[in-house]
Amino acid sequence: MKSAKKIKDELERMLQMLAFGSPSKFKVAKREIERLWHSDIKEFEKCAPLALEYIRRFDEIQSPKNQAAFASGLSLFFLALSDKYFDTLKNFVLKLIQNPDGYVRESIRKTADWLYVSLTSRVNPFVEKLTVKRKAEQKNAVKQYAKYVKEIQTLIEKYYDKNRDSADYVGDLKPSVYKSLELLWADVTRGDHIFLDDCPSENTLEKRKEIEKKLSAFVTETKSDFDVEDIRSAIYYEEGTDTMTDIIAMLDNGQGAVELQDIIDVITDAWNYFPHKTLGGKSPCQMTGK
């Protein structure tokens, strides 16, 4: 087991490598960060705040390749820091998601998933009874979540792409800041706004995960050009039952009637359990109280 100082020194060396080093060293640096995490998680967490200094110095990183590598390499630091330094990391994400380089935007979008994990774990902690401290953390997380979503929506309006009006799915759009923001919004909300009083029940969320797994399997099996996010987006922006037909077509590759019926059954479940914009972000099951 290494001392805290040695871990800190090595982490700093890896961050330096990602931010200012040669692209040939990026994979080495990321693997070393992962190794240090697994070797001593508690010491890693103690040393993790050193990444905040590099985040503040991000504008010193000139190469887009280094910027993308640095954003990607922050994943475990976000895991360690998101609860305590949420606002700092959130502001960094919102800054980089507007970066002109698509690789930088995609790297920070993936890293930002740990912010979602932090928020949801504090909004819906896995404990039977909340202490006074936990209740305060929960209340703060709800506010942070609401503000985060609102700030993303404000940026979406700022960068709105007129091509969105003619595109059936976000995935159809060409790479752009607007597209990255739409994808980030989908990541952060998962189609929901968990800060609402009538957020989905635990059973509903579990059902959605089950449906997503089945849809993912069908996407792979049918070699579809679409993915689960496209299906979820189509349901959210649906304009009536014709949309259901369009979604079925995404996974219809001419298979037999039995196989197609299995797909239709899962899509029907997705339609009923996934949120719809026309229902205020709720699912039909939520509206009927099921």
Side-chain angles (χ1 to χ4, degrees), residues 18 25-35 69 72-73:
L18 291 171
K25 300 294 185 181
F26 292 165
K27 288 185 179 180
V28 174
K30 291 177 184 179
R31 283 199 298 266
E32 180 63 11
I33 290 172
E34 290 179 6
R35 188 188 67 77
S72 176

Side-chain angles (χ1 to χ4, degrees), residues 56-94:
R56 285 189 283 269
R57 294 173 53 197
F58 180 80
D59 290 341
E60 297 177 20
I61 305 174
Q62 299 298 313
S63 167
K65 289 183 179 180
N66 286 92
Q67 291 177 347
F70 176 74
S72 176
L74 287 176
S75 183
L76 290 174
F77 291 95
F78 266 57
L79 171 58
L81 299 171
S82 288
D83 288 359
K84 187 174 181 180
Y85 298 96
F86 178 85
D87 288 334
T88 298
L89 300 180
K90 178 260 297 181
N91 291 337
F92 183 64
V93 168
L94 294 179

Side-chain angles (χ1 to χ4, degrees), residues 55 58 71 74 78 82 85-99 104-116 148 151-152 155 177 180-181 184-185 187-188:
I55 286 174
F58 180 80
L74 287 176
F78 266 57
S82 288
Y85 298 96
F86 178 85
D87 288 334
T88 298
L89 300 180
K90 178 260 297 181
N91 291 337
F92 183 64
V93 168
L94 294 179
K95 173 182 176 178
L96 262 61
I97 203 68
Q98 300 175 70
N99 191 285
V104 175
R105 296 195 304 270
E106 186 63 10
S107 294
I108 197 61
R109 184 175 74 85
K110 292 179 179 178
T111 295
D113 219 34
W114 289 114
L115 293 182
Y116 174 82
Y148 188 21
E151 288 174 327
I152 295 173
L155 289 174
V177 172
S180 295
L181 284 163
L184 178 63
W185 182 87
D187 293 340
V188 171

Side-chain angles (χ1 to χ4, degrees), residues 97 105-106 109 156 159-161 164 169-186 230:
I97 203 68
R105 296 195 304 270
E106 186 63 10
R109 184 175 74 85
I156 286 175
Y159 288 96
Y160 188 76
D161 185 346
R164 181 68 179 91
Y169 313 105
V170 174
D172 293 338
L173 296 172
K174 293 181 179 180
S176 65
V177 172
Y178 172 76
K179 181 177 181 178
S180 295
L181 284 163
E182 281 275 17
L183 293 172
L184 178 63
W185 182 87
D230 290 324

Side-chain angles (χ1 to χ4, degrees), residues 74-258:
L74 287 176
S75 183
L76 290 174
F77 291 95
F78 266 57
L79 171 58
L81 299 171
S82 288
D83 288 359
K84 187 174 181 180
Y85 298 96
F86 178 85
D87 288 334
T88 298
L89 300 180
K90 178 260 297 181
N91 291 337
F92 183 64
V93 168
L94 294 179
K95 173 182 176 178
L96 262 61
I97 203 68
Q98 300 175 70
N99 191 285
D101 188 273
Y103 290 105
V104 175
R105 296 195 304 270
E106 186 63 10
S107 294
I108 197 61
R109 184 175 74 85
K110 292 179 179 178
T111 295
D113 219 34
W114 289 114
L115 293 182
Y116 174 82
V117 172
S118 169
L119 287 169
T120 53
S121 65
R122 287 181 288 135
V123 171
N124 297 309
F126 295 102
V127 292
E128 293 184 3
K129 189 175 182 180
L130 295 180
T131 62
V132 174
K133 182 180 178 181
R134 285 272 192 171
K135 287 181 180 179
E137 291 174 349
Q138 183 183 53
K139 186 176 181 180
N140 184 50
V142 168
K143 290 181 179 178
Q144 289 176 327
Y145 195 103
K147 185 178 180 182
Y148 188 21
V149 171
K150 186 175 181 180
E151 288 174 327
I152 295 173
Q153 290 174 326
T154 298
L155 289 174
I156 286 175
E157 292 173 5
K158 176 182 177 180
Y159 288 96
Y160 188 76
D161 185 346
K162 293 181 180 179
N163 291 318
R164 181 68 179 91
D165 297 333
S166 58
D168 291 329
Y169 313 105
V170 174
D172 293 338
L173 296 172
K174 293 181 179 180
S176 65
V177 172
Y178 172 76
K179 181 177 181 178
S180 295
L181 284 163
E182 281 275 17
L183 293 172
L184 178 63
W185 182 87
D187 293 340
V188 171
T189 63
R190 299 300 197 268
D192 294 310
H193 300 285
I194 64 168
F195 51 84
L196 296 177
D197 291 334
D198 51 354
C199 61
S201 67
E202 185 175 342
N203 288 338
T204 296
L205 294 175
E206 286 300 319
K207 182 67 175 179
R208 286 180 184 173
K209 290 180 182 178
E210 177 187 327
I211 293 169
E212 286 182 354
K213 287 182 180 179
K214 291 181 179 179
L215 287 173
S216 180
F218 281 134
V219 165
T220 301
E221 182 181 322
T222 61
K223 298 180 180 179
S224 175
D225 293 330
F226 302 92
D227 56 25
V228 175
E229 183 54 45
D230 290 324
I231 295 172
R232 193 163 55 188
S233 177
I235 292 173
Y236 185 76
Y237 292 105
E238 56 91 359
E239 297 179 348
T241 53
D242 285 346
T243 303
M244 173 74 86
T245 303
D246 293 338
I247 296 171
I248 293 172
M250 291 180 184
L251 300 176
D252 184 1
N253 65 353
Q255 61 270 70
V258 175

